[in-house]
Amino acid sequence: LLSAIDHLDCREFLRLNGASERALQSGFVRALYDLALAYEDGDPLKPGIAAGQGLRGAMRMFFTYRGAFFWKMRAGMGDCVFAPLYEVLKRRGVRFEFFHRLENIKLPERLAPGERAYVEALEFDVQAKVAGEYRPLVDVKGLPCWPSEPDFAQLVDGERLKAEGLRFEAHGDRRAVGRKVLRVTQDFDFVVLGVGVGAIPFVAREIVARDPRWQAMVVNVKTVATQAFQIWLDRDAAALGWSDPPVTLAGFAKPFDTWADMTHLAPLENWTAEPKSIAYFCNVLADGVDDEAAMRAQVRENAVAFLKRDMHELWPKAAAPGAFRFDWLLDPEGRQDSEGLHGEARFAAQFWTANVNPSDRYVLMLPGSLVHRISPLDNTYDNLTLAGDWTDCGYNAGCVEAAVMSGRLAAHALSGRPRLEEIVGYDHP
């Protein structure tokens, strides 16, 4: 029933039902948009959440979540979620082929009478060859972790590839050492397409060119670039001027309206002198030049300006209007002011990122867009199913919950298991 109002924006629906302008601009409503990164084109003046999904999400958070809206992980998501999944799948005999970039999902030129469309082949660029079996995880204080960079020592000609600055995850880096084609019945029977929707036009060109539904999906199910930075400090929350408990906060000032206190991770990280505060900030990023390095430089500029302009509202002892105590930032290499790392330059030792690659962009739930999502249960293609938080999975929002529901629906599409009634939260007929 809630899907009947998905053509309306959440604020528009609330206004039609008597909400005051004060309520619509309240911190609570702003936080709903901020937490969902719900700004088309990364423009703060273009907020948008499909009303039905917005209400579904609010009701689920208020009435079905246990204990809290948010639970903080005890390490990074790669370490808490993906590393264990990888280890379990390895033990079950799954074979992983790293450093393969999907270039095309090939369909047959012709179909026999009465034959359904299907995937004939998968075409890959091989980005690097592995010397033996690639082992991706690294140990950090006894915890298997997913690193931020590949281990070039496990790659053929790894030193050369590293020296050349090969960036495997960057969409603009098209370098490859070979090609590989997998063919149906010879190499695979079924395909689970689990890339982000932003990558669909690049990896499924043939399907998009032939299928009006896929064309409508890639046009209407939009994504947004995001920006984030993380800082480590040698002062605790009280010294910064924050007197409340550790928090996850949204509805703050742009361009970084969401802050999470992640100080609890300090004992799990490798530091000579353990940080006393860790803070994560994020928000949308307006699309700019088609250059990841330039966008990343923009994020650094945004972060430094944000710390100087806005942080005094949260951390009055660490900042004043127009100034920030950059000397309180920790450097993992232990460099001091006397070594040239002083003032704003100390920010160079922190972390910041621009998530602009097609597969990194965040999926939006804009009014009128949800009807264009395609379900993992869709059987248009005989041996292809979809998985991701951008599919029509019963909870059409950009989050882990939606991704898990979508993955379970894809499993059902392939094997009939789990049963649909066993997929928590899925209520579609």
Side-chain angles (χ1 to χ4, degrees), residues 53-115:
Q53 175 56 37
L55 293 178
R56 179 181 288 109
M59 287 191 290
R60 185 167 296 182
M61 285 192 294
F62 281 125
F63 302 123
T64 70
Y65 285 8
R66 299 178 181 178
F69 282 175
F70 306 111
W71 294 87
K72 293 183 179 179
M73 297 185 184
R74 301 300 302 178
M77 181 172 285
D79 317 324
C80 286
V81 178
F82 297 109
L85 284 174
Y86 168 77
E87 292 185 309
V88 168
L89 292 172
K90 280 289 292 180
R91 292 187 189 121
R92 293 183 178 180
V94 174
R95 190 178 82 227
F96 289 81
E97 296 283 350
F98 294 98
F99 309 107
H100 286 65
R101 182 175 58 234
L102 180 62
E103 289 292 318
N104 187 42
I105 300 172
K106 185 171 180 55
L107 302 178
E109 294 295 331
R110 296 180 182 83
L111 295 173
E115 188 177 31

Side-chain angles (χ1 to χ4, degrees), residues 14-306:
L14 294 174
R15 184 180 291 112
L16 290 171
N17 286 273
S20 68
E21 290 303 314
R22 181 180 180 185
L24 295 175
Q25 300 305 321
S26 67
F28 174 76
V29 175
R30 288 204 319 275
L32 291 179
Y33 285 79
D34 292 349
L35 290 168
L37 299 165
Y39 297 95
E40 188 174 357
D41 301 326
D43 185 346
L45 300 179
K46 297 170 66 177
I49 294 179
Q53 175 56 37
L55 293 178
R56 179 181 288 109
M59 287 191 290
R60 185 167 296 182
M61 285 192 294
F62 281 125
F63 302 123
T64 70
Y65 285 8
R66 299 178 181 178
F69 282 175
F70 306 111
W71 294 87
K72 293 183 179 179
M73 297 185 184
R74 301 300 302 178
M77 181 172 285
D79 317 324
C80 286
V81 178
F82 297 109
L85 284 174
Y86 168 77
E87 292 185 309
V88 168
L89 292 172
K90 280 289 292 180
R91 292 187 189 121
R92 293 183 178 180
V94 174
R95 190 178 82 227
F96 289 81
E97 296 283 350
F98 294 98
F99 309 107
H100 286 65
R101 182 175 58 234
L102 180 62
E103 289 292 318
N104 187 42
I105 300 172
K106 185 171 180 55
L107 302 178
E109 294 295 331
R110 296 180 182 83
L111 295 173
E115 188 177 31
R116 292 226 318 272
Y118 65 94
V119 175
E120 180 180 67
L122 301 171
E123 300 173 348
F124 295 89
D125 274 354
V126 181
Q127 298 171 292
K129 293 184 178 180
V130 177
E133 180 185 4
Y134 188 80
R135 303 181 185 277
L137 303 182
V138 297
D139 183 275
V140 180
K141 294 188 175 181
L143 182 69
C145 294
W146 210 277
S148 59
E149 296 181 349
D151 183 359
F152 285 93
Q154 298 187 55
L155 304 182
V156 175
D157 291 331
E159 290 187 12
R160 176 181 61 81
L161 296 176
K162 186 174 183 178
E164 292 176 355
L166 186 61
R167 300 179 63 248
F168 297 107
E169 297 179 9
H171 178 69
D173 195 331
R174 312 308 295 177
R175 286 174 285 183
V177 298
R179 289 179 57 80
K180 181 183 290 186
V181 178
L182 303 181
R183 303 188 185 282
V184 68
T185 69
Q186 297 177 30
D187 304 298
F188 68 88
D189 294 311
F190 298 99
V191 178
V192 179
L193 183 60
V195 301
V197 69
I200 293 293
F202 303 99
V203 304
R205 297 185 301 276
E206 291 189 22
I207 299 179
V208 173
R210 299 186 195 184
D211 192 324
R213 292 179 64 219
W214 283 58
Q215 293 168 17
M217 178 176 68
V218 299
V219 169
N220 292 283
V221 182
K222 295 186 177 182
T223 61
V224 67
T226 61
Q227 58 183 327
F229 75 93
Q230 302 170 13
I231 56 176
W232 293 259
L233 302 103
D234 63 4
R235 301 294 196 280
D236 63 17
L240 300 175
W242 181 260
S243 57
D244 291 323
V247 69
T248 298
L249 174 153
F252 188 53
K254 303 288 189 292
F256 294 97
D257 50 39
T258 300
W259 160 45
D261 184 333
M262 302 296 287
T263 307
H264 65 282
L265 298 182
L268 297 171
E269 299 182 349
N270 279 331
W271 289 86
T272 304
E274 190 173 291
K276 295 183 178 179
S277 295
I278 303 176
Y280 290 9
F281 298 87
C282 68
N283 191 18
V284 296
L285 176 64
D287 287 323
V289 296
D290 189 19
D291 184 318
E292 185 181 359
M295 295 294 280
R296 191 168 181 272
Q298 181 64 55
V299 174
R300 175 177 176 171
E301 181 179 324
N302 292 346
V304 170
F306 170 80

Side-chain angles (χ1 to χ4, degrees), residues 359-398:
S359 59
D360 296 338
R361 294 169 65 94
Y362 184 83
V363 64
L364 296 174
M365 43 182 171
L366 296 175
S369 70
L370 302 189
V371 296
H372 297 288
R373 296 187 178 212
I374 296 175
S375 169
L377 301 179
D378 181 84
N379 63 356
T380 301
Y381 298 92
D382 187 55
N383 61 343
L384 173 68
T385 185
L386 310 175
D389 61 3
W390 50 273
T391 63
D392 181 17
C393 64
Y395 191 69
N396 295 337

